[in-house]
Amino acid sequence: MATARTVAIERRERISGGAPAAAGTAAACVRVAATGMAAVGVAPAGMAAAGIRVAAGCVLLSMAAHWPALAQQGRGVQASDPPGIEGKWSGSVVLPSGELPFSVTFASEGSTLSATLDIPSQSALGLPLTEVSYEDGRVHFEFAAPIGLAVWDGVHEGDEIKGSFTQGAADGEFSVERVATEGPSAEEGAEEGAEQDIPYLEEEISFENGEVRLAGTLTLPEDGRGSFPAVVMITGSGPQNRDEELLGFPVFRVIADHLARRGIASLRYDDRGVGGSSGDLAVSTAPDLAGDALAGIARLAEHPRIDPLQIGLLGHSEGASVASIAAERSDAVRFAVLLAGPSVLGAEVIYEQSAAVARAGGADQNQIEWTTDFQKRLFAAMRDGDDLESYRDELGGAIRDGIERLSEAQRAPIADVDGYVRFQTDQQIDALLVPWFQYFLSHNPADDLRQVRVPVLALFGELDLQVLPAQNRGPMEEALAANPDATVVVVPRANHLFQAATTGSPAEYALLEKAFADGFLDTISEWILERYGS
């Protein structure tokens, strides 16, 4: 009986550099990594990994859009005249403690208006806004950040929108101006022409899992063959679009491009409640999402250019766990590629992830130990159905202590400290009670992996601080020990997104080159083609 083997890709000396993230402090916030695995606790000084900007009133959180309990992507509303503000607008929020530059981009489909938010200083790009409306010159949009609901309410006059901004107890003003659009440069035009010459086709397709309709993109090689092997891609935690675009890096689109050039088709689709897909991700669990992936396989099996006996799954982070559930459930799954997939109990992943990210952000050992201890006690109480009031009080006290340690300028936007503490406490604890998080907390992916008998390729990033190889590689190999065709790969110097990194901290994600570490893509395509390349 074969055991999983560990393979190390040859190290390369070229590593994308990155400037250190700007220091920031926070009295208290939910720390949210790009996978959406949340860690409750007091954010330490220098916690730039969480993308928090307290100096401007603890405004927003760059990773917030990747946690389903806190972000609802792309929900548009009816607008009387959406074309009047379509396009990009840039400006700033002004609070007593300073300015925070940002931009908002409006788009409409028919009479439905949607918008996204960019905060470059927090490495936050393309965050989806909710409650977007424009009527009689009044503009309104909101963002559900873990540190408090951010609300913009303004008036459109000519090429300017200005009005009020509120988030929790912080009040301020904002103004943005329309960004002029120009025709493409010669270089952009050349790039556009190059894109038209790409050696593959893309089709917009949809499929259903019960009452949920999923919308996605099928990428097909164009080399004259009759049919192709294919992969269905599954995103990590939180509401994400079909490209799994994280801080400007379209992870799945880049993978799809590579696979198509190697003769492998792929399907990537919007998560529930995102883009063209229906449903509500916050009330969905991993088994629900496994059903979505299997519905995608069924859709591909009907396509004349896809070989129905050569369709597999590729899942990233929590998506790897979803892929394992689907592979255990259905014989239609012929192989599985697991990218940075956890293989231990969800609560254990959170403890290690939270400590590693906090340590990289400059937290001292006492802060890390307090947070881990608090998490363990809180999660045990949640599991046992105990009353959480004492935990709210304890967290509230820690938040209050954190506020007292802030400078006068940092405290200035918090006019009502008691209200702020109550708001933050409720936001952090109540957000953990949604079905998605409850399932993640108690689920051990190793239980599913032990039942998977199709070929499996599992990859970890050597520097990943979200799904740590030191914690997850061994249990992954053990769970796959009975699988006759299982390979575990550690990509040197790669982070959770498989970028070439220096520390692996989420604070680096937006600073690194939007490209994968050397050898990552070839490892995936060559492994698939060894099995389904004829």
Side-chain angles (χ1 to χ4, degrees):
M1 194 174 296
T3 59
R5 60 190 176 94
T6 301
V7 179
I9 298 175
E10 179 183 358
R11 286 181 178 269
R12 309 284 186 180
E13 291 306 315
R14 184 181 66 81
I15 295 182
S16 300
T25 60
C29 291
V30 176
R31 292 198 292 276
V32 183
T35 54
M37 301 172 188
V40 176
V42 176
M47 189 59 197
I52 303 166
R53 184 184 177 91
V54 177
C58 208
V59 176
L60 307 181
L61 185 83
S62 65
M63 300 296 182
H66 308 304
W67 193 21
L70 299 172
Q72 303 171 35
Q73 285 224 19
R75 185 173 65 185
V77 298
Q78 295 300 108
S80 61
D81 185 20
I85 58 169
E86 276 188 330
K88 186 173 184 177
W89 302 70
S90 292
S92 62
V93 168
V94 180
L95 292 158
S97 54
E99 292 190 37
L100 177 66
F102 76 98
S103 64
V104 57
T105 302
F106 296 97
S108 65
E109 183 175 347
S111 59
T112 300
L113 184 66
S114 61
T116 57
L117 175 73
D118 293 340
I119 310 175
S121 64
Q122 295 183 6
S123 300
L125 304 173
L127 301 180
L129 297 168
T130 64
E131 306 301 333
V132 183
S133 66
Y134 174 55
E135 188 169 2
D136 296 331
R138 306 256 350 150
V139 183
H140 182 92
F141 49 93
E142 302 177 1
F143 179 67
I147 57 176
L149 181 67
V151 179
W152 291 257
D153 195 7
V155 176
H156 170 214
E157 294 182 356
D159 288 333
E160 184 180 43
I161 301 173
K162 57 183 179 181
S164 63
F165 171 85
T166 60
Q167 185 176 34
D171 294 311
E173 298 178 345
F174 81 93
S175 65
V176 289
E177 295 183 355
R178 186 187 296 276
V179 176
T181 58
E182 300 178 355
S185 64
E187 181 177 298
E188 292 169 339
E191 292 175 354
E192 182 178 337
E195 290 179 358
Q196 293 173 356
D197 295 333
I198 57 177
Y200 52 81
L201 303 173
E202 291 196 325
E203 298 180 10
E204 295 297 303
I205 67 173
S206 63
F207 52 98
E208 289 77 34
N209 177 21
E211 296 181 354
V212 177
R213 178 182 180 275
L214 290 309
T217 300
L218 171 62
T219 304
L220 280 167
E222 190 179 24
D223 65 359
R225 289 174 51 187
S227 61
F228 304 95
V231 296
V232 174
M233 301 187 187
I234 309 170
T235 67
S237 304
Q240 298 180 52
N241 64 22
R242 66 192 69 186
D243 293 335
E244 200 190 38
E245 187 165 357
L246 299 170
L247 298 174
F249 185 19
V251 175
F252 279 2
R253 178 152 55 87
V254 176
I255 294 176
D257 175 271
H258 172 82
L259 293 179
R261 295 173 186 272
R262 297 298 304 273
I264 303 168
S266 64
L267 169 64
R268 60 194 196 273
Y269 56 92
D270 297 327
D271 284 349
R272 293 184 175 201
V274 179
S277 296
S278 66
D280 186 347
L281 195 61
V283 300
S284 305
T285 61
D288 300 322
L289 305 182
D292 294 348
L294 291 174
I297 287 182
R299 177 67 176 84
L300 290 191
E302 300 172 349
H303 197 284
R305 302 293 305 281
I306 301 297
D307 186 336
L309 300 181
Q310 297 186 351
I311 305 175
L313 298 172
L314 183 150
H316 181 212
S317 196
E318 191 203 9
S321 299
V322 173
S324 300
I325 295 172
E328 176 190 1
R329 184 189 299 180
S330 173
D331 293 338
V333 181
R334 298 301 173 134
F335 62 89
V337 178
L338 312 179
L339 308 180
S343 57
V344 298
L345 195 69
E348 296 295 329
V349 173
I350 291 174
Y351 303 148
E352 290 298 315
Q353 178 193 100
S354 175
V357 173
R359 191 173 295 112
D364 63 42
Q365 191 59 31
N366 289 335
Q367 292 170 316
I368 294 172
E369 290 176 358
W370 181 89
T371 298
T372 301
D373 175 70
F374 181 79
Q375 290 169 336
K376 289 181 176 180
R377 291 184 288 108
L378 173 61
F379 294 167
M382 292 166 56
R383 181 192 62 225
D384 297 337
D386 296 343
D387 183 78
L388 301 182
E389 200 58 37
S390 63
Y391 297 93
R392 293 179 189 273
D393 292 342
E394 183 178 357
L395 180 59
I399 293 172
R400 190 178 298 276
D401 289 343
I403 294 174
E404 292 176 355
R405 290 195 297 270
L406 294 177
S407 68
E408 183 177 347
Q410 291 169 332
R411 286 197 305 267
I414 307 176
D416 179 3
V417 173
D418 291 339
Y420 180 84
V421 170
R422 286 194 302 271
F423 182 84
Q424 293 296 334
T425 302
D426 290 343
Q427 280 282 97
Q428 293 194 45
I429 292 183
D430 290 349
L432 304 183
L433 302 179
V434 299
W436 170 82
F437 190 79
Q438 293 288 299
Y439 182 89
F440 176 83
L441 204 64
S442 60
H443 177 239
N444 188 343
D447 295 336
D448 306 305
L449 290 163
R450 292 188 186 96
Q451 307 305 316
V452 176
R453 292 296 180 268
V454 298
V456 172
L457 171 64
L459 293 88
F460 293 99
E462 182 187 24
L463 300 182
D464 190 344
L465 299 187
Q466 295 180 234
V467 178
L468 280 71
Q471 179 189 41
N472 292 274
R473 184 181 67 179
M476 176 73 73
E477 293 172 338
E478 181 180 350
L480 294 172
N483 189 312
D485 186 357
T487 303
V488 177
V489 175
V490 178
V491 183
R493 299 178 180 175
N495 62 17
H496 187 67
L497 305 186
F498 293 94
Q499 298 166 293
T502 53
T503 69
S505 169
E508 287 184 328
Y509 292 170
L511 305 175
L512 299 173
E513 180 183 358
K514 302 298 186 291
F516 291 116
D518 289 343
F520 170 74
L521 291 172
D522 287 336
T523 298
I524 296 172
S525 58
E526 290 171 6
W527 183 88
I528 295 174
L529 291 173
E530 284 176 3
R531 291 152 181 79
Y532 302 103
S534 59

Short mmCIF file of all heavy atoms in Angstrom, two decimals, residues 172-214:
data_model
loop_
_atom_site.label_atom_id
_atom_site.label_comp_id
_atom_site.label_asym_id
_atom_site.label_seq_id
_atom_site.Cartn_x
_atom_site.Cartn_y
_atom_site.Cartn_z
N GLY A 172 -17.18 61.56 10.18
CA GLY A 172 -16.33 62.42 9.38
C GLY A 172 -17.01 62.81 8.08
O GLY A 172 -18.23 62.68 7.95
N GLU A 173 -16.24 63.31 7.14
CA GLU A 173 -16.75 63.72 5.84
C GLU A 173 -15.93 63.05 4.75
O GLU A 173 -14.80 62.60 4.98
CB GLU A 173 -16.68 65.24 5.69
CG GLU A 173 -17.51 66.00 6.72
CD GLU A 173 -17.36 67.51 6.55
OE1 GLU A 173 -16.41 67.93 5.84
OE2 GLU A 173 -18.17 68.25 7.12
N PHE A 174 -16.51 62.97 3.56
CA PHE A 174 -15.75 62.44 2.44
C PHE A 174 -16.05 63.26 1.20
O PHE A 174 -17.10 63.91 1.09
CB PHE A 174 -16.10 60.96 2.18
CG PHE A 174 -17.37 60.75 1.40
CD1 PHE A 174 -17.34 60.61 0.01
CD2 PHE A 174 -18.60 60.70 2.05
CE1 PHE A 174 -18.50 60.42 -0.72
CE2 PHE A 174 -19.77 60.51 1.34
CZ PHE A 174 -19.72 60.37 -0.06
N SER A 175 -15.14 63.22 0.27
CA SER A 175 -15.37 63.80 -1.05
C SER A 175 -14.56 63.03 -2.07
O SER A 175 -13.43 62.60 -1.78
CB SER A 175 -15.00 65.29 -1.08
OG SER A 175 -13.61 65.45 -0.89
N VAL A 176 -15.14 62.81 -3.23
CA VAL A 176 -14.45 62.11 -4.32
C VAL A 176 -14.75 62.84 -5.62
O VAL A 176 -15.80 63.47 -5.77
CB VAL A 176 -14.88 60.63 -4.45
CG1 VAL A 176 -14.37 59.81 -3.29
CG2 VAL A 176 -16.40 60.52 -4.56
N GLU A 177 -13.81 62.77 -6.55
CA GLU A 177 -13.98 63.36 -7.87
C GLU A 177 -13.89 62.29 -8.93
O GLU A 177 -13.17 61.29 -8.77
CB GLU A 177 -12.92 64.44 -8.11
CG GLU A 177 -13.06 65.65 -7.19
CD GLU A 177 -12.03 66.72 -7.51
OE1 GLU A 177 -11.17 66.48 -8.38
OE2 GLU A 177 -12.10 67.80 -6.90
N ARG A 178 -14.59 62.52 -10.02
CA ARG A 178 -14.58 61.55 -11.10
C ARG A 178 -13.18 61.45 -11.70
O ARG A 178 -12.51 62.45 -11.93
CB ARG A 178 -15.58 61.96 -12.19
CG ARG A 178 -15.73 60.91 -13.31
CD ARG A 178 -16.59 61.45 -14.43
NE ARG A 178 -17.97 61.70 -14.01
CZ ARG A 178 -18.92 60.76 -13.96
NH1 ARG A 178 -18.62 59.51 -14.29
NH2 ARG A 178 -20.14 61.07 -13.60
N VAL A 179 -12.74 60.19 -11.95
CA VAL A 179 -11.46 59.95 -12.59
C VAL A 179 -11.67 59.92 -14.09
O VAL A 179 -12.47 59.14 -14.60
CB VAL A 179 -10.84 58.62 -12.12
CG1 VAL A 179 -9.55 58.33 -12.86
CG2 VAL A 179 -10.60 58.65 -10.61
N ALA A 180 -10.97 60.81 -14.79
CA ALA A 180 -11.15 60.89 -16.24
C ALA A 180 -10.69 59.60 -16.90
O ALA A 180 -9.66 59.02 -16.52
CB ALA A 180 -10.35 62.06 -16.80
N THR A 181 -11.43 59.15 -17.88
CA THR A 181 -11.06 57.96 -18.63
C THR A 181 -10.51 58.37 -19.98
O THR A 181 -11.03 59.27 -20.63
CB THR A 181 -12.27 57.03 -18.83
OG1 THR A 181 -13.30 57.75 -19.51
CG2 THR A 181 -12.79 56.56 -17.49
N GLU A 182 -9.43 57.71 -20.36
CA GLU A 182 -8.79 58.02 -21.63
C GLU A 182 -8.73 56.76 -22.48
O GLU A 182 -8.87 55.65 -21.98
CB GLU A 182 -7.37 58.53 -21.40
CG GLU A 182 -7.32 59.81 -20.56
CD GLU A 182 -5.90 60.23 -20.31
OE1 GLU A 182 -4.99 59.48 -20.71
OE2 GLU A 182 -5.70 61.30 -19.72
N GLY A 183 -8.55 56.92 -23.75
CA GLY A 183 -8.42 55.77 -24.63
C GLY A 183 -7.17 55.00 -24.30
O GLY A 183 -6.24 55.52 -23.69
N PRO A 184 -7.08 53.73 -24.68
CA PRO A 184 -5.92 52.90 -24.36
C PRO A 184 -4.67 53.41 -25.04
O PRO A 184 -4.71 53.95 -26.15
CB PRO A 184 -6.33 51.52 -24.89
CG PRO A 184 -7.34 51.80 -25.96
CD PRO A 184 -8.07 53.01 -25.50
N SER A 185 -3.56 53.27 -24.33
CA SER A 185 -2.29 53.65 -24.91
C SER A 185 -1.88 52.62 -25.95
O SER A 185 -2.49 51.57 -26.08
CB SER A 185 -1.22 53.70 -23.81
OG SER A 185 -1.02 52.41 -23.27
N ALA A 186 -0.81 52.95 -26.70
CA ALA A 186 -0.33 52.00 -27.70
C ALA A 186 0.07 50.69 -27.04
O ALA A 186 -0.19 49.61 -27.55
CB ALA A 186 0.85 52.61 -28.45
N GLU A 187 0.69 50.82 -25.85
CA GLU A 187 1.12 49.61 -25.15
C GLU A 187 -0.08 48.80 -24.71
O GLU A 187 -0.12 47.58 -24.86
CB GLU A 187 1.96 50.02 -23.95
CG GLU A 187 2.49 48.84 -23.14
CD GLU A 187 3.37 49.30 -22.01
OE1 GLU A 187 4.41 49.92 -22.27
OE2 GLU A 187 3.01 49.04 -20.85
N GLU A 188 -1.11 49.48 -24.16
CA GLU A 188 -2.32 48.77 -23.75
C GLU A 188 -3.02 48.15 -24.93
O GLU A 188 -3.56 47.05 -24.87
CB GLU A 188 -3.27 49.74 -23.01
CG GLU A 188 -2.71 50.17 -21.65
CD GLU A 188 -3.53 51.30 -21.07
OE1 GLU A 188 -4.22 52.00 -21.85
OE2 GLU A 188 -3.49 51.51 -19.86
N GLY A 189 -3.00 48.87 -26.04
CA GLY A 189 -3.64 48.31 -27.23
C GLY A 189 -2.92 47.07 -27.71
O GLY A 189 -3.54 46.10 -28.16
N ALA A 190 -1.59 47.09 -27.60
CA ALA A 190 -0.83 45.90 -27.99
C ALA A 190 -1.15 44.74 -27.08
O ALA A 190 -1.29 43.60 -27.52
CB ALA A 190 0.67 46.22 -27.95
N GLU A 191 -1.27 45.03 -25.76
CA GLU A 191 -1.62 43.97 -24.83
C GLU A 191 -3.00 43.42 -25.13
O GLU A 191 -3.25 42.22 -25.08
CB GLU A 191 -1.57 44.51 -23.40
CG GLU A 191 -0.15 44.84 -22.94
CD GLU A 191 -0.14 45.47 -21.57
OE1 GLU A 191 -1.24 45.74 -21.04
OE2 GLU A 191 0.96 45.69 -21.02
N GLU A 192 -3.93 44.33 -25.49
CA GLU A 192 -5.28 43.88 -25.81
C GLU A 192 -5.25 42.99 -27.04
O GLU A 192 -5.93 41.96 -27.11
CB GLU A 192 -6.18 45.10 -26.04
CG GLU A 192 -7.64 44.72 -26.33
CD GLU A 192 -8.50 45.95 -26.50
OE1 GLU A 192 -8.13 47.01 -26.00
OE2 GLU A 192 -9.56 45.82 -27.14
N GLY A 193 -4.45 43.36 -28.03
CA GLY A 193 -4.35 42.53 -29.22
C GLY A 193 -3.75 41.18 -28.90
O GLY A 193 -4.17 40.14 -29.44
N ALA A 194 -2.78 41.18 -27.97
CA ALA A 194 -2.17 39.91 -27.59
C ALA A 194 -3.18 39.01 -26.92
O ALA A 194 -3.20 37.80 -27.12
CB ALA A 194 -0.98 40.16 -26.66
N GLU A 195 -4.05 39.61 -26.09
CA GLU A 195 -5.07 38.83 -25.42
C GLU A 195 -6.03 38.20 -26.43
O GLU A 195 -6.52 37.09 -26.24
CB GLU A 195 -5.84 39.70 -24.43
CG GLU A 195 -5.00 40.12 -23.22
CD GLU A 195 -5.78 41.00 -22.27
OE1 GLU A 195 -6.95 41.31 -22.60
OE2 GLU A 195 -5.23 41.39 -21.23
N GLN A 196 -6.28 38.89 -27.53
CA GLN A 196 -7.18 38.34 -28.53
C GLN A 196 -6.56 37.15 -29.24
O GLN A 196 -7.25 36.34 -29.85
CB GLN A 196 -7.55 39.42 -29.55
CG GLN A 196 -8.40 40.54 -28.95
CD GLN A 196 -8.62 41.68 -29.92
OE1 GLN A 196 -8.07 41.67 -31.03
NE2 GLN A 196 -9.41 42.65 -29.52
N ASP A 197 -5.23 37.01 -29.16
CA ASP A 197 -4.53 35.90 -29.81
C ASP A 197 -4.28 34.74 -28.87
O ASP A 197 -3.51 33.84 -29.20
CB ASP A 197 -3.19 36.39 -30.38
CG ASP A 197 -3.39 37.41 -31.50
OD1 ASP A 197 -4.44 37.35 -32.16
OD2 ASP A 197 -2.51 38.26 -31.69
N ILE A 198 -4.85 34.74 -27.70
CA ILE A 198 -4.61 33.67 -26.74
C ILE A 198 -5.09 32.34 -27.32
O ILE A 198 -6.10 32.29 -28.01
CB ILE A 198 -5.32 33.95 -25.40
CG1 ILE A 198 -6.83 34.14 -25.58
CG2 ILE A 198 -4.70 35.13 -24.69
CD1 ILE A 198 -7.59 34.34 -24.30
N PRO A 199 -4.36 31.27 -27.04
CA PRO A 199 -4.65 29.98 -27.68
C PRO A 199 -5.74 29.18 -26.98
O PRO A 199 -5.59 27.97 -26.77
CB PRO A 199 -3.30 29.28 -27.61
CG PRO A 199 -2.71 29.78 -26.33
CD PRO A 199 -3.14 31.23 -26.23
N TYR A 200 -6.80 29.82 -26.57
CA TYR A 200 -7.91 29.08 -25.97
C TYR A 200 -9.18 29.90 -26.08
O TYR A 200 -9.17 31.09 -26.43
CB TYR A 200 -7.61 28.72 -24.51
CG TYR A 200 -7.18 29.88 -23.63
CD1 TYR A 200 -8.09 30.76 -23.06
CD2 TYR A 200 -5.83 30.07 -23.34
CE1 TYR A 200 -7.69 31.79 -22.25
CE2 TYR A 200 -5.41 31.10 -22.53
CZ TYR A 200 -6.34 31.96 -21.98
OH TYR A 200 -5.93 32.99 -21.16
N LEU A 201 -10.29 29.25 -25.80
CA LEU A 201 -11.61 29.88 -25.86
C LEU A 201 -12.18 29.99 -24.46
O LEU A 201 -11.85 29.19 -23.58
CB LEU A 201 -12.55 29.05 -26.74
CG LEU A 201 -12.11 28.78 -28.17
CD1 LEU A 201 -13.08 27.80 -28.83
CD2 LEU A 201 -12.05 30.08 -28.97
N GLU A 202 -13.06 30.98 -24.26
CA GLU A 202 -13.75 31.09 -22.99
C GLU A 202 -15.25 31.18 -23.23
O GLU A 202 -15.70 31.92 -24.12
CB GLU A 202 -13.26 32.31 -22.19
CG GLU A 202 -11.82 32.13 -21.70
CD GLU A 202 -11.45 33.12 -20.62
OE1 GLU A 202 -11.94 34.28 -20.69
OE2 GLU A 202 -10.68 32.76 -19.72
N GLU A 203 -16.01 30.43 -22.45
CA GLU A 203 -17.47 30.41 -22.55
C GLU A 203 -18.08 30.76 -21.20
O GLU A 203 -17.61 30.28 -20.17
CB GLU A 203 -17.97 29.02 -22.98
CG GLU A 203 -17.52 28.53 -24.32
CD GLU A 203 -18.08 27.15 -24.64
OE1 GLU A 203 -18.96 26.68 -23.89
OE2 GLU A 203 -17.63 26.54 -25.62
N GLU A 204 -19.09 31.59 -21.22
CA GLU A 204 -19.85 31.87 -20.02
C GLU A 204 -20.91 30.77 -19.86
O GLU A 204 -21.72 30.55 -20.77
CB GLU A 204 -20.52 33.24 -20.10
CG GLU A 204 -19.54 34.40 -20.17
CD GLU A 204 -18.71 34.50 -18.91
OE1 GLU A 204 -19.31 34.62 -17.81
OE2 GLU A 204 -17.47 34.43 -19.01
N ILE A 205 -20.90 30.08 -18.75
CA ILE A 205 -21.87 29.01 -18.53
C ILE A 205 -22.49 29.16 -17.14
O ILE A 205 -21.96 29.86 -16.27
CB ILE A 205 -21.24 27.61 -18.69
CG1 ILE A 205 -20.23 27.35 -17.56
CG2 ILE A 205 -20.57 27.46 -20.05
CD1 ILE A 205 -19.71 25.93 -17.57
N SER A 206 -23.59 28.49 -16.92
CA SER A 206 -24.24 28.46 -15.61
C SER A 206 -24.71 27.05 -15.34
O SER A 206 -24.88 26.23 -16.25
CB SER A 206 -25.41 29.44 -15.55
OG SER A 206 -26.41 29.09 -16.47
N PHE A 207 -24.91 26.76 -14.06
CA PHE A 207 -25.41 25.44 -13.66
C PHE A 207 -26.09 25.60 -12.31
O PHE A 207 -25.97 26.64 -11.65
CB PHE A 207 -24.26 24.43 -13.59
CG PHE A 207 -23.08 24.88 -12.77
CD1 PHE A 207 -22.92 24.46 -11.46
CD2 PHE A 207 -22.10 25.72 -13.31
CE1 PHE A 207 -21.83 24.87 -10.71
CE2 PHE A 207 -21.00 26.12 -12.57
CZ PHE A 207 -20.87 25.71 -11.26
N GLU A 208 -26.85 24.58 -11.91
CA GLU A 208 -27.66 24.68 -10.70
C GLU A 208 -27.33 23.58 -9.71
O GLU A 208 -27.04 22.44 -10.09
CB GLU A 208 -29.16 24.60 -11.04
CG GLU A 208 -29.72 25.81 -11.75
CD GLU A 208 -29.35 25.85 -13.22
OE1 GLU A 208 -29.25 24.76 -13.84
OE2 GLU A 208 -29.12 26.96 -13.75
N ASN A 209 -27.37 23.94 -8.45
CA ASN A 209 -27.34 22.98 -7.35
C ASN A 209 -28.58 23.23 -6.52
O ASN A 209 -28.61 24.11 -5.67
CB ASN A 209 -26.08 23.15 -6.50
CG ASN A 209 -26.05 22.21 -5.31
OD1 ASN A 209 -26.73 21.18 -5.29
ND2 ASN A 209 -25.26 22.55 -4.30
N GLY A 210 -29.65 22.49 -6.81
CA GLY A 210 -30.92 22.75 -6.17
C GLY A 210 -31.44 24.11 -6.59
O GLY A 210 -31.54 24.40 -7.78
N GLU A 211 -31.72 24.98 -5.63
CA GLU A 211 -32.24 26.31 -5.93
C GLU A 211 -31.14 27.33 -6.18
O GLU A 211 -31.43 28.47 -6.54
CB GLU A 211 -33.13 26.80 -4.78
CG GLU A 211 -34.38 25.94 -4.57
CD GLU A 211 -35.24 26.47 -3.45
OE1 GLU A 211 -34.81 27.43 -2.78
OE2 GLU A 211 -36.34 25.93 -3.23
N VAL A 212 -29.90 26.93 -6.00
CA VAL A 212 -28.78 27.85 -6.18
C VAL A 212 -28.28 27.79 -7.62
O VAL A 212 -28.02 26.70 -8.15
CB VAL A 212 -27.62 27.52 -5.22
CG1 VAL A 212 -26.43 28.45 -5.47
CG2 VAL A 212 -28.09 27.63 -3.78
N ARG A 213 -28.16 28.94 -8.25
CA ARG A 213 -27.65 29.03 -9.61
C ARG A 213 -26.24 29.61 -9.56
O ARG A 213 -26.01 30.68 -8.98
CB ARG A 213 -28.55 29.94 -10.47
CG ARG A 213 -28.06 30.12 -11.91
CD ARG A 213 -28.97 31.08 -12.66
NE ARG A 213 -28.54 31.28 -14.04
CZ ARG A 213 -27.62 32.18 -14.40
NH1 ARG A 213 -27.05 32.95 -13.49
NH2 ARG A 213 -27.30 32.32 -15.68
N LEU A 214 -25.29 28.90 -10.17
CA LEU A 214 -23.90 29.33 -10.19
C LEU A 214 -23.52 29.78 -11.59
O LEU A 214 -23.88 29.14 -12.57
CB LEU A 214 -22.97 28.19 -9.76
CG LEU A 214 -22.94 27.71 -8.30
CD1 LEU A 214 -22.76 28.87 -7.34
CD2 LEU A 214 -24.16 26.88 -7.95
#
